[in-house]
Amino acid sequence: MDKTFNVKTALPFAIISLFLVLGPILAAQLATPHGYVFLGTLANHNDFSAYLAAMRQGAEGNWLFHFNFSPEAWRPQLMLPMYITAGKILPGILYNSTWVNIIRVIALIGTLAVYGMWVRLVYPNEFNKQWSAWILLVFGGGLGWLLLPIASLIGIPNSANLFPDIVTPEWTLGLVGSNAPHYMIGLLLETMFFISYWNVTQNKGWKWVWASLVFALLLGLIYVYNSAVLFSVIGIYLLWDTWKYRKVNWRKWMESSLILLPLIPLLIYYGYWVNLDPAWAQYVVGEHNRIPPPTWYSLLSGMGIVGILAIAGLKKWHKTTQKHLLISWIAGNLLVMYIPFVQYTGRFTLGLWIPLATLAAYGLEEVVLPWLQQKSWYAGFSKLTTTPYESLRRIILILTIPSSLIVSILFLKNVFLVRDFPFYMPKSEISAMEWLATRTDPQADLVLAYYPVGNYFPSISNTRVFMGQFFLTVNYEEKIKQVEQFWQVETPDSWRMDLINKWKITYIYQGRYEKALYQGIIIPPGELVYDKDDIQIYYVAP
């Protein structure tokens, strides 16, 4: 292997990473059942329609996101700006998810490249550390996917907390890449921020200050939650620097304050201003937005072997290097994850894997491998291979990978197990919704449909639905029960009319998913205006 970490060195493994993330999505597209349409994602499918709605709204000229997933009047907000901007600059955006997946590919390639820049910056001219860090960043994972089925099988209470998701450190590249593109772009921007700020701490010039400011602002717009992470990390770094040298480095404090300044209006906006809208305020305190930090055991399982390697290298890193930004990143990230009285601190885990894996590479190369080399069995192991030291490195790196590989396997399995919503939808349903989108008046109409249609329809129309994407629907739990009761044979027509009149519902959608709620025959109130492919749409005059 060439002892220079560059594109040529990393390219084969970058291709493997792209295949692991994009392979299941491509397989889902190729394996689309006859008469169905692939909806574009295998993860975060509940939110996907909101991203498509934002892109459509951007193409129509909006800069603020207009909410149409619930009948209540929401004030337009600065939400999903990345997708709204994409709708303005990308062609052919309406009614399809193609561009979302193109953005996903670009973001993933960009993140792989930026990770290479990061490891070269932290470990200049140290190939083994660069290589180990990059591999851990790209392929490494914790133990969550391995421990979860075992814990469930033997009946460990709350074993679901081991599930690798947004609330655990195992929110790694493969899982993020399979999710919505703005998460991946968030990782990319956070890494670029710390590349820039690393150079600021080394007094490399004002260009890095301005670069840090730009990346901080972009990160705040794309993934605002990690604005809190930046404040925490930089605060800890500056306090540590002041304590270590027993004096205040006013230049660093002023540069850092300038860098963080643009984030303050965003924090005020999302922390105070948007909550003046009653609908938004209810959304913020909703059960769906209660995302607690990981429990102690899910934190440990999420870190796994990588966490052990990072802890092994912590003491020596602290003693032998003058670069305490890396440890500040880990400490600051963990700190905001466990802030009391904030109900969504689990969202702050995005990005924690970057400093953790970077420090783990140091622990592997500086502590663990030299320690293993001193063991009595090493001589015997050396007889099994001509490169015992390198083989040990490969074994340890491979041991960090299985949990991440399982993500791709599970996504691929779901392609062949789930042959309908939320991965697919019949073409006939989409055709009916497209017809309805041309028929309705966004200012006057309200559509009643069950969740699959209620979730999808706002992505192609500005007309409101009675119930749509679950966290953008006010009182979602109550509304879904009302829709289910609407489609029960024993429900009186008078109850249905009361619901229609209360909410001023003008269109009733009766398709595949609504009919699955009952047995028998239900003819809802209103005039039949669409009847095709066993889908009926009724118009109720206001």
Side-chain angles (χ1 to χ4, degrees):
M1 181 180 291
D2 188 359
K3 292 298 181 181
T4 301
F5 185 80
N6 52 30
V7 173
K8 181 180 178 181
T9 306
L11 184 59
F13 297 90
I15 293 173
I16 293 172
S17 175
L18 287 167
F19 175 78
L20 290 173
V21 173
L22 303 175
I25 297 173
L26 180 60
Q29 181 68 59
L30 295 175
T32 300
H34 178 70
Y36 279 72
V37 173
F38 175 52
L39 296 181
T41 185
L42 299 176
N44 207 23
H45 39 74
N46 288 303
D47 302 351
F48 200 70
S49 58
Y51 309 144
L52 293 179
M55 297 174 86
R56 175 183 53 76
Q57 291 182 23
E60 293 172 353
N62 291 342
W63 281 107
L64 299 178
F65 185 75
H66 292 245
F67 298 84
N68 58 334
F69 289 84
S70 193
E72 295 81 5
W74 292 53
R75 188 170 62 194
Q77 304 287 6
L78 180 61
M79 181 176 174
L80 306 176
M82 184 192 88
Y83 297 100
I84 288 177
T85 303
K88 293 180 178 298
I89 63 177
L90 297 175
I93 209 69
L94 298 181
Y95 311 147
N96 73 78
S97 59
T98 303
W99 275 111
V100 178
N101 284 314
I102 292 175
I103 294 171
R104 185 198 311 277
V105 173
I106 295 171
L108 181 54
I109 293 173
T111 303
L112 290 169
V114 167
Y115 278 174
M117 296 167 58
W118 166 251
V119 300
R120 287 167 63 99
L121 175 69
V122 177
Y123 300 121
N125 303 315
E126 296 183 273
F127 172 80
N128 289 333
K129 290 175 187 171
Q130 293 174 354
W131 178 248
S132 295
W134 191 82
I135 290 294
L136 291 173
L137 285 167
V138 175
F139 296 104
L143 301 173
W145 289 110
L146 298 171
L147 295 178
L148 178 61
I150 299 173
S152 302
L153 186 64
I154 63 179
I156 294 179
N158 300 317
S159 59
N161 288 327
L162 296 171
F163 185 81
D165 201 349
I166 195 171
V167 299
T168 72
E170 206 167 350
W171 191 225
T172 51
L173 188 69
L175 193 56
V176 175
S178 302
N179 221 291
H182 69 276
Y183 291 110
M184 179 63 70
I185 294 177
L187 276 183
L188 187 154
L189 290 172
E190 187 169 2
T191 308
M192 286 302 301
F193 170 82
F194 280 105
I195 287 174
S196 302
Y197 190 70
W198 185 286
N199 284 293
V200 171
T201 65
Q202 304 301 309
N203 299 318
K204 294 292 183 66
W206 275 93
K207 68 177 182 180
W208 293 108
V209 175
W210 295 117
S212 299
L213 184 151
V214 170
F215 289 123
L217 179 59
L218 290 174
L219 178 61
L221 290 170
I222 301 298
Y223 195 76
V224 67
Y225 300 101
N226 274 29
S227 299
V229 174
L230 301 192
F231 274 92
S232 178
V233 173
I234 291 178
I236 288 176
Y237 170 79
L238 292 174
L239 291 173
W240 190 344
D241 188 76
T242 301
W243 176 82
K244 181 176 181 179
Y245 295 105
R246 302 298 191 272
K247 66 176 182 179
V248 177
N249 187 326
W250 290 109
R251 175 177 174 175
K252 283 186 180 179
W253 280 82
M254 292 179 65
E255 290 174 343
S256 300
S257 299
L258 176 63
I259 289 166
L260 295 175
L261 187 62
L263 293 178
I264 295 176
L266 284 176
L267 293 178
I268 294 173
Y269 179 81
Y270 289 108
Y272 170 72
W273 178 256
V274 295
N275 291 294
L276 298 178
D277 178 4
W280 180 279
Q282 190 166 353
Y283 149 70
V284 170
V285 300
E287 187 64 32
H288 55 269
N289 207 34
R290 297 184 186 277
I291 306 175
T295 60
W296 67 268
Y297 53 88
S298 60
L299 181 68
L300 295 178
S301 72
M303 292 181 176
I305 295 173
V306 174
I308 295 173
L309 295 173
I311 292 171
L314 181 61
K315 183 177 180 180
K316 186 171 182 180
W317 175 279
H318 176 62
K319 283 188 173 183
T320 60
T321 77
Q322 302 298 315
K323 302 170 183 176
H324 48 274
L325 179 59
L326 189 66
I327 299 177
S328 298
W329 188 351
I330 297 173
N333 211 143
L334 288 172
L335 177 64
V336 295
M337 284 166 54
Y338 291 94
I339 295 175
F341 313 119
V342 178
Q343 66 178 24
Y344 47 79
T345 55
R347 292 186 180 273
F348 298 144
T349 56
L350 182 71
L352 175 60
W353 192 259
I354 302 169
L356 188 71
T358 306
L359 183 59
Y362 183 87
L364 174 63
E365 299 296 339
E366 290 288 336
V367 179
V368 174
L369 287 177
W371 176 69
L372 292 175
Q373 192 178 28
Q374 302 302 316
K375 295 299 178 180
S376 58
W377 51 263
Y378 185 81
F381 179 74
S382 300
K383 297 176 182 179
L384 302 177
T385 172
T386 56
T387 55
Y389 199 84
E390 289 74 11
S391 296
L392 273 179
R393 178 187 296 110
R394 295 187 194 104
I395 291 171
I396 294 173
L397 292 175
I398 288 172
L399 288 175
T400 70
I401 292 175
S403 188
S404 294
L405 293 179
I406 292 175
V407 176
S408 297
I409 296 171
L410 290 176
F411 280 134
L412 191 60
K413 182 190 76 171
N414 285 340
V415 168
F416 300 100
L417 290 180
V418 181
R419 308 300 285 161
D420 205 319
F421 187 84
F423 299 155
Y424 302 98
M425 185 171 281
K427 292 180 180 179
S428 57
E429 299 282 340
I430 293 176
S431 296
M433 284 186 276
E434 290 175 347
W435 177 89
L436 183 59
T438 65
R439 174 87 177 216
T440 54
D441 177 1
Q443 303 303 319
D445 290 320
L446 178 67
V447 176
L448 176 72
Y450 197 47
Y451 186 77
V453 172
N455 179 273
Y456 183 90
F457 185 70
S459 70
I460 64 172
S461 172
N462 288 320
T463 301
R464 297 178 186 274
V465 293
F466 177 71
M467 176 197 66
Q469 205 281 349
F470 64 90
F471 71 76
L472 294 178
T473 299
V474 178
N475 295 324
Y476 168 79
E477 292 79 7
E478 178 183 343
K479 285 192 173 73
I480 194 170
K481 289 178 182 177
Q482 290 175 326
V483 174
E484 289 171 349
Q485 184 175 348
F486 187 96
W487 293 112
Q488 296 302 308
V489 174
E490 61 271 19
T491 298
D493 287 339
S494 59
W495 186 94
R496 294 190 180 98
M497 284 306 304
D498 287 343
L499 184 71
I500 290 169
N501 292 331
K502 176 182 178 180
W503 290 101
K504 297 180 175 56
I505 294 167
T506 54
Y507 283 92
I508 300 170
Y509 187 99
Q510 186 181 28
R512 170 189 182 88
Y513 303 105
E514 290 74 22
K515 292 178 180 179
L517 295 174
Y518 64 90
Q519 293 182 345
I521 298 175
I522 295 179
I523 300 177
E527 174 192 357
L528 181 64
V529 294
Y530 182 94
D531 189 3
K532 185 178 180 181
D533 298 321
D534 200 28
I535 299 169
Q536 292 80 40
I537 300 175
Y538 294 84
Y539 174 68
V540 182

